[in-house]
Amino acid sequence: MLIIATLAGLALVVWGWLMQGEEYTPGLLLQFGSSLVLIVPLIVLGRVFERRMQRTQDALSSDLADIQAQMRATRARLDTLGETSRDGLLDRHRRRELLLREAERAPTAERLASLLHEAAGLQAVDDGGVRTRLPGSDLWLRLDLRRTSAAPNPPNQAQPGRTSADETLHLTLEDRGGAAVSETAWARDERASAAARRLTVRRASAVPGTVSSGTAAAALRDIDGLLRPLVATLRTAIAARTGQEQQDLGRLIELPNEQWAISADGLWCRQRYFHIRTEQLLDARQDWRRYALAKPWVDREHFLDAYRTAHALLSGSVSASR
């Protein structure tokens, strides 16, 4: 196309010269000179721009190659870190599961303290520990860790199977609302039965007329049978916090039955998402019992027992915090 245009231009010049003869020459020279004045700088500028664009393209290509190399190196490091993190998480999960199984088999003070420490590090349990109801009794057994010194030990640095030396394990007998009836420290190297006997004796001393043959005393004689539900509560709390359960249950306190869970932030259904927050539970203007019992999937007996316990326990916690 450019060649055709050039030839057409030359043909027009020759035709004009033939028509006008020598009179056409000055005008032709003037136009040719004007064209050179315009074209030559444009050609020079075009070549300058072309060289600069080439240098820019070369620089961009070099930078792009460097960026790609850095991206490959970063991807390799991320893959390495990902494998390390996955290995670390898997190792932590294996150690935690081993600890849970050992505690289920033989719930010793050392194992339970380690589990509580681990759950606290995940913020899976309430600061006051976890508790379970004594069978056939109006009392609950609470298990918690208490710091005995001011030495810092951030919970998020907890490791499965490792506890702080300044934390002491405690067993407490309490009523539905969390008021302590008797309590005792449980040494790491002490048998559970010895701590249970102290609880029984101290309860008898604190409550005149209480006899060691009562239902609470009988339940405490099978202390391992009481501690295993606490291990199950800790397992559920950790599983809920680490995403192994259907939903997070908050900072767990108690599993009153298979359908409900009581945590520091209210009453949770374990089988589907249904949460009554603490402030809703304690608001006398809101009738959550009627609302929940209208649900076809709610077990009436289980809900009423869990609701009553949660209301008594959480109202006591709110009053104590004020």
Side-chain angles (χ1 to χ4, degrees), residues 124-126 131 241 247-256 259-270 272-283 288 303 305-318:
V125 295
D126 184 55
R131 70 177 203 167
R241 182 61 77 180
Q247 59 190 356
D248 189 356
L249 299 175
R251 292 183 291 121
L252 197 60
I253 301 174
E254 178 184 348
L255 298 177
Q259 191 173 40
W260 298 97
I262 301 172
S263 70
D265 60 350
L267 185 63
W268 290 83
C269 179
R270 299 172 60 187
R272 64 177 66 204
Y273 185 82
F274 187 84
H275 178 209
I276 306 176
R277 298 192 303 273
T278 300
E279 59 270 22
Q280 295 173 324
L281 193 73
L282 303 181
D283 190 346
W288 280 93
F303 173 76
D305 179 64
Y307 183 90
R308 181 186 174 196
T309 302
H311 192 281
L313 183 61
L314 296 177
S315 60
S317 300
V318 170

Side-chain angles (χ1 to χ4, degrees), residues 172-194:
T172 305
L173 279 180
E174 60 187 37
D175 63 14
R176 187 185 296 270
V181 175
S182 66
E183 63 178 290
T184 184
W186 184 12
R188 304 294 176 90
D189 57 351
E190 184 181 25
R191 295 178 65 87
S193 56

Side-chain angles (χ1 to χ4, degrees), residues 52-121:
R52 289 186 178 180
M53 289 179 64
Q54 185 63 43
R55 287 197 297 269
T56 303
Q57 185 177 0
D58 293 341
L60 288 175
S61 299
S62 177
D63 292 342
L64 182 59
D66 292 340
I67 292 173
Q68 290 175 340
Q70 292 175 7
M71 289 179 64
R72 286 193 294 269
T74 302
R75 188 181 298 112
R77 287 195 294 270
L78 288 174
D79 290 340
T80 302
L81 288 174
E83 292 176 1
T84 303
S85 299
R86 286 193 297 271
D87 292 343
L89 289 173
L90 287 173
D91 181 61
R92 187 183 183 92
H93 175 73
R94 283 192 293 266
R95 287 186 286 122
R96 184 187 295 145
E97 181 61 28
L98 178 61
L99 181 59
L100 282 165
R101 291 181 180 179
E102 289 176 345
E104 288 167 345
R105 178 180 56 82
T108 64
E110 183 65 35
R111 290 166 181 167
L112 289 174
S114 297
L115 280 176
L116 268 175
H117 191 71
E118 170 74 2

